[in-house]
Amino acid sequence: MVPFLIAGMIACKGTKKQEMVTSEVFGNHNGKEVFLYTLTNKKGDVIKLTNYGAAIVEISVPDRNGVRENVTFGYDNLEGYINGDPYFGKVVGQYANRIAKGKFTLDSVEYTLDLNNVPNSLHGGTTGWHSRVWDAQVLKNTDFPAVRFTYNKPDMEECYPGNIVAEVVYSWTDNDEIIMDYKVSTDKRTVINITNHAYFNLHGTGKGDILDHEAIIRASAFTPVDSTLIPTGEIRPVEGTPFDFRTPHLIGERIGMDEEQLKLGGGYDHNFVLDNAEEVDAMVYDPSTGRVIEVLTDQPGVQLYTGNFLDGTQTGRGGRVYQYRSGFCLETQHFPNSPNKASFPSVVLTPDEPFLSSTTYRFSVR
Ligand code: GAL
């Protein structure tokens, strides 16, 4: 298919016009056109996005020698997104992570969700927001290349109440930051939890595992899980546990320890209760390439997931194969199963006030 430019000749400051956002047709799904957007910042670093699942498709950033590599999981074409792993780089909603036994009660009404992760409901159900073609708009007169994706979710789709308008604006700054600004409104009381499900490998995707990456997570506590990965309700201090990433530790340093929570998760697959006290909430560094990702969020939690379910069956962009633990996720979020845990921060969304939230992935080298 010949790529063609449909939008995005946006004037930068100065005399020269620079192409900041270009788009090409990626395919068609259920009668809706799907596009691939390329956002280039002043450094010449590139991210690619698609309106299928409002996904991040590619992040090409330099190592300490200036060599650019794609560091996030994605597919070369739309078929990959439709038939492959459901979550790579996507926006996940209406409720990211798990809801126990697929049931919650709001205002005395019990809602029964898709049990797509038996015995629980995961990431908004099989046909959650990740599987939808979002409307897209390339933003003009912005400081940085930016695209807005919007999804209008009908009442009771995937059994969640509320006609919802969900928006995410991706901006790609000249400081290699992906800023994700979310706005979600509803016409009925409902519950939401929204995240981006990007996987990262700072070596470059398909180049070994992420056990040699060094992580910092500014969280003094985490939410231990049961055998179905549902939080027990306990907020457990990380002190003295393999979940203490307040000082840097390699991801692989303690992952194989004979420890109950690591065994239940098959590695790290846990929600950390962020201190939210500093600008940067989490950071991962790859000593071999020098690449760093920092995560900044206003959300109360982050799921560290170390790709424990990856098994080499997915082949992604450029023919790269995604093996066991070859990617990690830092999914900023409210705590899993919050609708059933009154002690967790509330996830109730009401018609009088939209949910506004921002998360940034910032890339650099050391
Ligand atoms: C993560 C979740 C994992 C797994 C993964 C998708 O968010 O914590 O348990 O379900 O998504 O494969």
Side-chain angles (χ1 to χ4, degrees):
M1 195 173 303
V2 182
F4 67 93
L5 186 70
I6 59 159
M9 296 295 287
I10 299 173
C12 297
K13 285 195 182 114
T15 49
K16 201 164 158 250
K17 258 193 169 187
Q18 190 186 322
E19 237 170 58
M20 296 165 72
V21 183
T22 60
S23 62
E24 61 197 87
V25 173
F26 209 34
N28 192 289
H29 184 60
N30 293 341
K32 291 192 87 174
E33 275 207 303
V34 179
F35 295 95
L36 181 68
Y37 298 88
T38 302
L39 288 72
T40 308
N41 67 13
K42 285 192 181 141
K43 287 185 173 173
D45 295 333
V46 167
I47 65 167
K48 290 181 189 276
L49 308 171
T50 178
N51 57 321
Y52 182 73
I56 301 173
V57 172
E58 190 178 308
I59 304 170
S60 283
V61 285
D63 66 8
R64 62 163 78 88
N65 299 316
V67 178
R68 288 192 183 104
E69 269 274 4
N70 175 29
V71 296
T72 200
F73 288 15
Y75 293 102
D76 282 325
N77 50 45
L78 181 59
E79 290 63 43
Y81 280 96
I82 292 168
N83 303 319
D85 183 281
Y87 307 118
F88 291 172
K90 307 253 189 79
V91 170
V92 176
Q94 178 160 333
Y95 199 91
N97 213 288
R98 292 175 175 79
I99 294 187
K101 306 207 163 53
K103 283 194 189 299
F104 71 95
T105 300
L106 180 67
D107 303 329
S108 308
V109 179
E110 186 182 71
Y111 295 92
T112 301
L113 309 169
D114 182 15
L115 297 185
N116 60 332
N117 190 246
V118 177
N120 303 315
S121 188
L122 177 69
H123 293 329
T126 311
T127 63
W129 300 359
H130 62 275
S131 69
R132 304 285 171 178
V133 180
W134 296 47
D135 296 328
Q137 188 188 5
V138 176
L139 300 186
K140 301 210 157 107
N141 304 317
T142 49
D143 290 338
F144 307 109
V147 180
R148 178 193 291 128
F149 296 126
T150 308
Y151 181 54
N152 288 276
K153 191 226 68 163
D155 190 27
M156 293 311 287
E157 186 177 271
E158 280 288 354
C159 300
Y160 287 94
N163 290 292
I164 294 226
V165 182
E167 270 181 25
V168 56
V169 175
Y170 285 101
S171 304
W172 177 229
T173 76
D174 294 327
N175 197 27
D176 282 357
E177 296 158 311
I178 304 175
I179 303 176
M180 296 166 285
D181 289 316
Y182 299 99
K183 181 178 178 190
V184 185
S185 18
T186 183
D187 66 345
K188 277 198 190 93
R189 281 165 60 81
T190 189
V191 295
I192 68 147
N193 189 21
I194 188 164
T195 195
N196 178 285
H197 205 303
Y199 289 71
F200 302 102
N201 182 324
L202 300 177
H203 302 315
T205 58
K207 292 189 160 177
D209 62 42
I210 45 77
L211 300 178
D212 60 355
H213 288 38
E214 182 186 277
I216 292 177
I217 302 176
R218 298 205 163 110
S220 304
F222 74 111
T223 53
V225 291
D226 67 15
S227 62
T228 73
L229 297 177
I230 293 290
T232 59
E234 182 190 350
I235 306 280
R236 185 181 294 175
V238 295
E239 180 79 45
T241 78
F243 292 83
D244 193 347
F245 281 99
R246 292 172 299 174
T247 53
H249 288 274
L250 297 184
I251 291 176
E253 183 186 324
R254 300 163 297 178
I255 201 169
M257 271 173 67
D258 186 12
E259 196 273 347
E260 185 216 13
Q261 283 299 313
L262 286 170
K263 292 203 152 151
L264 290 171
Y268 294 103
D269 193 355
H270 294 79
N271 171 64
F272 287 70
V273 179
L274 290 171
D275 296 339
N276 287 141
E278 289 183 54
E279 191 206 11
V280 173
D281 296 288
M283 183 186 310
V284 178
Y285 165 61
D286 169 22
S288 64
T289 63
R291 290 194 186 92
V292 176
I293 178 175
E294 293 170 301
V295 179
L296 292 66
T297 190
D298 52 19
Q299 291 296 281
V302 67
Q303 186 88 6
L304 171 63
Y305 169 58
T306 47
N308 313 310
F309 295 117
L310 296 171
D311 58 5
T313 54
Q314 296 299 314
T315 301
R317 285 182 86 69
R320 304 290 175 90
V321 178
Y322 303 138
Q323 304 285 1
Y324 180 58
R325 293 186 176 159
S326 67
F328 67 90
C329 302
L330 284 165
E331 301 155 59
T332 58
Q333 61 183 3
H334 268 258
F335 306 169
N337 198 34
S338 294
N340 294 308
K341 284 278 183 266
S343 58
F344 287 175
S346 173
V347 290
V348 174
L349 181 69
T350 61
D352 46 299
E353 207 184 343
F355 169 87
L356 296 173
S357 173
S358 186
T359 289
T360 296
Y361 297 142
R362 180 192 291 156
F363 298 88
S364 58
V365 284
R366 249 196 243 162

